[in-house]
Amino acid sequence: MMDFLTNIAYSSYNMLLWVGIFFIGYSVLENLTPCNPKQRLSPRNILTDISFMLIMPIFTGFIFTGYMYISIYILFHNASQDDITNYIMNGYGPLSQWPLWVQAMVVFILSDIMLYWFHRWFHGHNMWRWHAIHHSSTPLEWHATFRFHPVNEWLSFTLVNSIILWMGFSPASIGIMGTFNLIYSTMVHANLDWTFGPFKYVFASPVFHRWHHTSQEEGMNKNFAPTFPFLDLMFGTFYMPKGRLPETYGVQGADIPKSFWGLIVWPFRQKKSTGNRV
Ligand SMILES: [Zn+2]
Ligand SMILES: [Zn+2]
């Protein structure tokens, strides 16, 4: 338990350092090449998103530990303590024997495919109210990255990481991508007009993901991939009209609260809804 709390305290400290770097870095970049020049930082938005950033890892850590206990029980119920320790440190089976960089590349692509489909599921009739929290941010800023309801987090990102570990991949193959994912996901939410030109089908850009967050009819239920837009191209959900940028963000038809605890409670009070509308 102490180890768990120490880890949480250390990662919170780390996150605060990153917050400082992002505030300075994105302020400079967003002044140079904004997607929506009239958009202004909202202190209330910042406070809510920073609360998600610092509080969510505590919830997520408990659920992740639970997923791992289940997998250890199923996979290793007759194994020795050494085998279990080895699994936690290095993975198991043939996949864990691949060179670490190969594992990391495969995990990266596999995670994106799974997250694409989980994301589409959360845009559907039954799940939208949980995911609407992520879309509630208006204006849309880099810190909206962290605005995910725990139910959304546990049934997509936490679950995908657990599936990767259940398959036997080394935990280091996920860890290797951790910092990259943090920087990349804040970048695609930032108020930047970057499209990545001819690489727009290969790597998600701020304009690609900002179209996903738009409240304009045309961009709804499009651009689900976290990192690789060719998944959207393959499955018919790619949307980046040439020469145009999204203008408005948020959720249609809903008065979603603005505070952290308001957002946590809100989905429990909602009935089923249609994707992007409440
Ligand atoms: Zn979404
Ligand atoms: Zn987003």
Side-chain angles (χ1 to χ4, degrees):
M1 187 66 182
M2 275 317 287
D3 274 359
F4 180 72
L5 292 176
T6 312
N7 277 340
I8 294 287
Y10 181 71
S11 61
S12 300
Y13 170 74
N14 245 339
M15 283 299 262
L16 282 175
L17 280 182
W18 276 111
V19 169
I21 295 168
F22 291 148
F23 262 115
I24 297 166
Y26 288 126
S27 298
V28 173
L29 293 171
E30 289 175 351
N31 264 310
L32 294 172
T33 54
C35 176
N36 306 103
K38 290 190 183 131
Q39 182 174 286
R40 292 285 166 263
L41 279 178
S42 145
R44 182 114 197 229
N45 237 14
I46 296 171
L47 185 68
T48 299
D49 290 340
I50 302 288
S51 305
F52 273 96
M53 182 193 296
L54 295 177
I55 297 172
M56 280 298 295
I58 301 170
F59 294 129
T60 306
F62 276 113
I63 296 297
F64 181 69
T65 309
Y67 284 153
M68 292 321 293
Y69 269 116
I70 295 168
S71 74
I72 288 168
Y73 180 76
I74 294 169
L75 297 168
F76 293 97
H77 60 282
N78 285 326
S80 67
Q81 187 57 47
D82 281 354
D83 283 345
I84 294 172
T85 308
N86 195 40
Y87 166 55
I88 293 168
M89 302 299 290
N90 306 309
Y92 75 98
L95 297 175
S96 67
Q97 304 303 312
W98 293 356
L100 197 55
W101 69 270
V102 177
Q103 287 188 60
M105 297 301 286
V106 174
V107 163
F108 200 24
I109 293 171
L110 209 56
S111 299
D112 228 57
I113 295 169
M114 285 193 274
L115 287 170
Y116 172 91
W117 286 106
F118 276 119
H119 195 173
R120 274 185 77 157
W121 179 48
F122 268 99
H123 271 249
H125 197 60
N126 292 321
M127 304 304 284
W128 169 248
R129 63 196 138 143
W130 307 105
H131 186 59
I133 302 307
H134 182 61
H135 283 260
S136 66
S137 207
T138 158
L140 183 63
E141 267 294 338
W142 62 268
H143 36 82
T145 308
F146 306 100
R147 189 182 285 222
F148 276 102
H149 194 277
V151 170
N152 192 165
E153 183 85 32
W154 300 337
L155 291 178
S156 49
F157 304 101
T158 318
L159 187 55
V160 164
N161 279 346
S162 304
I163 292 170
I164 295 292
L165 296 178
W166 295 340
M167 292 171 76
F169 285 103
S170 162
S173 63
I174 296 176
I176 260 177
M177 307 310 295
T179 306
F180 173 82
N181 280 334
L182 177 66
I183 298 169
Y184 204 88
S185 52
T186 51
M187 183 266 293
V188 298
H189 288 91
N191 183 16
L192 296 167
D193 68 353
W194 304 352
T195 61
F196 296 169
F199 296 101
K200 67 181 178 184
Y201 300 114
V202 186
F203 298 112
S205 63
V207 171
F208 171 83
H209 194 66
R210 290 177 79 82
W211 272 116
H212 176 73
H213 275 265
T214 189
S215 55
Q216 296 156 237
E217 198 77 27
E218 57 187 306
M220 284 185 180
N221 297 319
K222 300 283 192 291
N223 300 359
F224 292 102
T227 314
F228 301 122
F230 53 80
L231 293 172
D232 283 284
L233 209 55
M234 280 166 62
F235 300 122
T237 49
F238 185 89
Y239 188 75
M240 273 179 85
K242 209 172 163 58
R244 289 186 47 228
L245 298 169
E247 285 161 21
T248 56
Y249 306 95
V251 177
Q252 278 192 356
D255 193 14
I256 299 185
K258 300 209 179 309
S259 70
F260 172 78
W261 289 111
L263 288 166
I264 295 291
V265 171
W266 183 82
F268 291 102
R269 297 187 170 151
Q270 304 305 306
K271 298 196 178 79
K272 285 180 185 175
S273 48
T274 310
N276 284 43
R277 289 177 189 79
V278 180

